Amino acid sequence: MSVHQIKRVALISGASRGIGNHVAAELLRQGWTVSLGMRKPVMPTWAVGHEDAVQLVAYDADDTQAEQRWVNEALQRFGRIDAIVANAGIMIPKTVIEADDEDIDAMFSVNVKAPRRLAKAAWDALCATGCGRFIILASLSGKRVKSAAAGSYSLSKFAAVALSHAIRQAGFDKGVRATAVCPGFVATDMAAALTDRPADQLTQPADLACIIAMLISLPNEASVAEFAVNCQLEEFF
Ligand SMILES: NC(=O)c1ccc[n+]([C@@H]2O[C@H](COP(=O)([O-])OP(=O)(O)OC[C@H]3O[C@@H](n4cnc5c(N)ncnc54)[C@H](OP(=O)(O)O)[C@@H]3O)[C@@H](O)[C@H]2O)c1
């Protein structure tokens, strides 16, 4: 089989809705095989008729065994893993004074610890391709603390950015490239709960999906460590 006939395989967490759903649909459209990690696996409408290239896997980021099970299922069915899109995330809008340890732990569990376990579980497979890709949906909240209410979330997203850099460092010699994707408001359920701005003035998840598809399709010699994208003007983003 020539390299052009190989169907690359991407694992996308939190693919049930929002950004993850759009990323999975875009990757399938661009010829990838997609393995969808969902708390409640349901075949998306865009996947109907493409079941040979779509896998649904029960995945809860709070279950510390879930990543290894998912990787095993993907390898059993497709035999390779080329990219991880660690997208599942939660936001608890509390200041660092209001939040208690349970809030901080909950965000670190889904936003940081689960993506690290996913990279670890898929590591050998990612390295075996010679061009493995790891994307984490971090946030501009991983680059600056925009408001008091975003403070606790920012703790986890700064850590998510650090995780991506740490994976890039660990895997560079083996062809693994890692990117922290850092959006501002994206028109999903998460942003709807946080801002009154109309959805059409926010970054669209379909546009972010195209950006992520581009990032994981770049050659090893075009490593992008961070990608910031914003719907509004800020001093640095
Ligand atoms: N929207 C924004 O403005 C924005 C901006 C910057 C960064 N981000 C980041 O982008 C990512 C996606 O956000 P979104 O806007 O698409 O959010 P969303 O619409 O709220 O969707 C969140 C996704 O994460 C999944 N998820 C949550 N907890 C999970 C868990 N314990 N195990 C497995 N899946 C879980 C959800 O699954 P269920 O359907 O089962 O709940 C859902 O698929 C997140 O990491 C978020 O922090 C979002």
Side-chain angles (χ1 to χ4, degrees):
M1 187 182 273
S2 92
V3 74
H4 300 292
Q5 290 171 305
I6 292 170
K7 278 180 77 79
R8 290 169 298 173
V9 177
L11 273 56
I12 302 115
S13 70
S16 57
R17 58 195 171 93
I19 296 168
N21 177 57
H22 280 83
V23 170
E26 180 61 25
L27 291 183
L28 180 72
R29 199 186 66 77
Q30 293 194 18
W32 288 72
T33 291
V34 290
S35 178
L36 312 182
M38 299 171 161
R39 282 196 282 203
K40 288 186 185 146
V42 177
M43 188 66 77
T45 49
W46 48 259
V48 173
H50 302 279
E51 287 82 359
D52 56 330
V54 180
Q55 180 182 43
L56 305 187
V57 177
Y59 173 69
D60 188 329
D62 288 317
D63 173 354
T64 59
Q65 309 300 312
E67 289 78 17
Q68 192 62 63
R69 279 200 304 270
W70 182 8
V71 164
N72 292 348
E73 282 188 48
L75 287 175
Q76 196 170 16
R77 175 152 168 206
F78 301 122
R80 58 186 294 128
I81 296 174
D82 299 81
I84 300 285
V85 182
N87 163 80
I90 58 169
M91 198 278 184
I92 300 174
K94 290 187 180 174
T95 75
V96 287
I97 307 306
E98 293 163 348
D100 52 29
D101 269 0
E102 285 72 29
D103 297 317
I104 303 296
D105 288 347
M107 284 188 283
F108 269 78
S109 174
V110 180
N111 299 352
V112 185
K113 293 172 78 174
R116 187 195 71 89
R117 284 195 304 270
L118 193 51
K120 186 179 167 87
W123 195 246
D124 289 347
L126 288 173
C127 293
T129 69
C131 50
R133 297 288 179 265
F134 177 87
I135 298 278
I136 188 160
L137 265 296
S139 174
L140 283 182
S141 291
K143 302 302 298 175
R144 45 65 172 145
V145 181
K146 183 100 164 63
S147 67
S152 305
Y153 177 67
S154 273
L155 293 183
S156 72
K157 291 299 186 177
F158 270 71
V161 171
L163 172 65
S164 186
H165 282 278
I167 289 170
R168 192 169 50 83
Q169 292 281 354
F172 207 86
D173 290 350
K174 300 172 182 77
V176 176
R177 300 291 177 265
T179 309
V181 173
C182 300
F185 285 128
V186 184
T188 67
D189 297 341
M190 184 179 283
L194 299 169
T195 178
D196 293 334
R197 282 169 162 251
D200 64 358
Q201 291 179 19
L202 309 182
T203 299
Q204 296 303 305
D207 292 326
L208 205 51
C210 291
I211 289 167
I212 289 166
M214 178 273 290
L215 289 169
I216 61 173
S217 299
L218 291 170
N220 283 3
E221 295 71 26
S223 172
V224 180
E226 298 181 3
F227 195 105
V229 50
N230 206 347
C231 59
Q232 59 188 339
L233 178 65
E234 296 182 39
E235 192 174 4
F236 293 111
F237 304 106

